[in-house]
Amino acid sequence: HLGFKCVAYAGLETGEKNFTAYVLRGDQVYIVVKSPLHPHDEIIAPFVKKHGDAVRDVAFCVENVQKIFEHAKASGAEVIQPPTFSEDDKGQVLTASVLAYGDTVHSFIQRDRYQGVFLPGYQPIDPLLVNAFAESLPPVPMGRIDHVVANQPQGKMNEVVDFYINVLCFRRFWSVDDKLLQTGTSGLNSIVVSDFDERIKIPVNQPSTRFDGRSQTQEFVDFHGCGGIQHIAICVGNLEQTVRSLKARGCYVLPVPCAYYDELQSALSEMDLDLGISVDTMRELDIVVDYDDKGFILQIFTRPVESRPTLFFEFMQRNNHDGFGAGNFKSLFSAIEAQQRLRGTL
């Protein structure tokens, strides 16, 4: 549905005895889907039992694994895997990982000496096994991961932000509270952290206690069981083209209230802002926009992609705008609340 291509595999046929893994790629975005091979598995099986299908590991490609790991450990990070070399005939990779929060792990990958399709232990997908049906559908233009959102239980947001600042040397990039991020029914607080190069951005959210409704942040925590990754945002070059391809492949995006576009049409008529897309087309595709005097950001959310109402994807197009759609909060989260009402979780 999302248009990723399966490019690599690890499992019994490649010599891996503990799990099966498929590497999915969309332009610069890599997602590894894993499943345990044995009922006594001690890593994947317990995680899935507790959280359902979810993101366990957000991996960073880095220049010096040893240096980053040593700083993280010295700063109090819980070690999941110390620096470890793996190699095959395509070269050598150095990896390490630490616990971030809940059961979420951050891995550090140094692969400048590796020329293989993904990592040692993975083999390219046999061309004869490529999914012909998926190949017949419209390709989905993608780009890179813009950010991943880390939802936390009430009272944990600042603790997690401190982890990124003190352990991984991130910095505060942006923040907003429940005076803006609220619908009248529910709300949240958010602090975005970023690495020095502003390439990696992680919004850390926690639910507001000022409202009677159960926010989508709290709904995530309740079904996930603790703090974790709620959604993955992918930045693309042409959101209209991407959304048309997604819909043609059967991917359902979150429906936006019609009143949003009536108000948007009125607001845009008073501004000299060229979005490169008409309001009618945005209404057709459920695209929303946040903007200021310098630029704008276009966004859509998918519905949850798993059985639990937890993980979903965002697709976005940035045009000289570094925000995270705060101006769209009320419309987008009203749409999410409509889905929560159907689930009986609001």
Side-chain angles (χ1 to χ4, degrees):
H1 290 301
L2 295 178
F4 284 83
K5 294 183 182 296
C6 191
V7 297
Y9 167 81
L12 293 174
E13 297 84 352
T14 69
E16 174 55 58
K17 304 301 183 183
N18 297 313
F19 61 82
T20 295
Y22 292 88
V23 180
L24 306 172
R25 181 180 182 183
D27 198 359
Q28 300 176 55
V29 182
Y30 286 85
I31 296 176
V32 184
V33 183
K34 284 187 176 182
S35 178
L37 286 171
H38 304 288
H40 56 267
D41 174 81
E42 296 181 353
I43 298 177
I44 304 172
F47 182 91
V48 174
K49 180 180 180 180
K50 181 177 179 181
H51 305 294
D53 296 329
V55 175
R56 176 179 180 266
D57 189 344
V58 178
F60 305 131
C61 188
V62 303
E63 294 179 355
N64 190 323
V65 163
Q66 192 70 41
K67 184 176 180 180
I68 292 174
F69 174 82
E70 288 176 357
H71 181 275
K73 183 179 179 181
S75 301
E78 180 179 336
V79 175
I80 300 298
Q81 177 199 301
T84 304
F85 282 105
S86 58
E87 60 184 342
D88 60 19
D89 60 353
K90 301 296 183 181
Q92 188 180 73
V93 173
L94 180 61
T95 61
S97 58
V98 299
L99 184 67
Y101 42 81
D103 294 319
T104 302
V105 171
H106 282 318
S107 288
F108 315 118
I109 302 177
Q110 185 177 334
R111 48 171 298 160
D112 53 317
R113 298 181 181 179
Y114 192 70
Q115 302 299 318
V117 64
F118 183 60
L119 294 174
Y122 289 81
Q123 293 183 2
I125 293 295
D126 188 326
L128 295 177
L129 300 180
V130 171
N131 189 316
F133 174 72
E135 290 293 314
S136 71
L137 298 172
V140 179
M142 292 199 195
R144 61 178 179 84
I145 293 179
D146 185 272
H147 60 273
V148 293
V149 171
N151 278 2
Q152 305 299 326
Q154 175 61 38
K156 289 291 187 179
M157 178 179 68
N158 289 322
E159 177 183 320
V160 172
V161 168
D162 288 343
F163 163 84
Y164 282 109
I165 292 174
N166 298 329
V167 176
L168 298 186
C169 298
F170 281 38
R171 65 181 182 85
R172 287 179 64 136
F173 179 80
W174 185 83
S175 63
V176 65
D177 63 21
D178 56 6
K179 294 177 182 178
L180 177 62
L181 298 188
Q182 54 91 8
T183 65
T185 303
S186 66
L188 61 86
N189 299 285
S190 181
I191 299 175
V192 181
V193 294
S194 168
D195 71 321
F196 179 80
D197 295 322
E198 298 184 0
R199 178 74 173 181
I200 302 167
K201 298 185 181 71
I202 301 177
V204 182
N205 299 343
Q206 72 177 13
S208 169
T209 58
R210 295 177 56 230
F211 305 93
D212 293 333
R214 178 164 60 161
S215 74
Q216 51 87 18
T217 307
Q218 186 62 52
E219 182 190 43
F220 170 89
V221 172
D222 290 344
F223 279 92
H224 187 72
C226 61
I229 300 300
Q230 179 214 35
H231 76 262
I232 301 165
I234 298 174
C235 193
V236 303
N238 186 319
L239 188 60
E240 177 185 352
Q241 185 179 358
T242 295
V243 176
R244 289 193 182 281
S245 293
L246 289 171
K247 288 198 169 189
R249 300 178 73 103
C251 177
Y252 295 101
V253 303
L254 200 66
V256 177
C258 291
Y260 169 83
Y261 297 101
D262 297 334
E263 296 173 4
L264 177 63
Q265 186 73 69
S266 176
L268 290 178
S269 65
E270 302 175 4
M271 296 185 61
D272 182 22
L273 181 63
D274 180 13
L275 300 179
I277 183 174
S278 70
V279 174
D280 288 340
T281 298
M282 293 172 64
R283 186 194 303 264
E284 173 195 356
L285 300 177
D286 293 299
I287 293 174
V288 296
V289 61
D290 192 16
Y291 55 88
D292 55 25
D293 57 349
K294 297 180 181 179
F296 61 90
I297 175 177
L298 301 174
Q299 298 171 284
I300 65 102
F301 287 165
T302 72
R303 300 187 190 190
V305 296
E306 315 292 358
S307 298
R308 304 187 192 193
T310 49
L311 178 66
F312 59 87
F313 284 82
E314 174 186 353
F315 289 87
M316 62 195 307
Q317 177 184 332
R318 291 192 181 277
N319 293 76
N320 199 36
H321 194 292
D322 291 329
F324 294 85
N328 294 326
F329 179 88
K330 193 160 189 177
S331 59
L332 282 172
F333 286 76
S334 292
I336 290 177
E337 286 180 354
Q339 299 297 311
Q340 286 182 260
R341 288 189 185 93
L342 293 175
R343 295 191 287 263
T345 60
L346 183 60

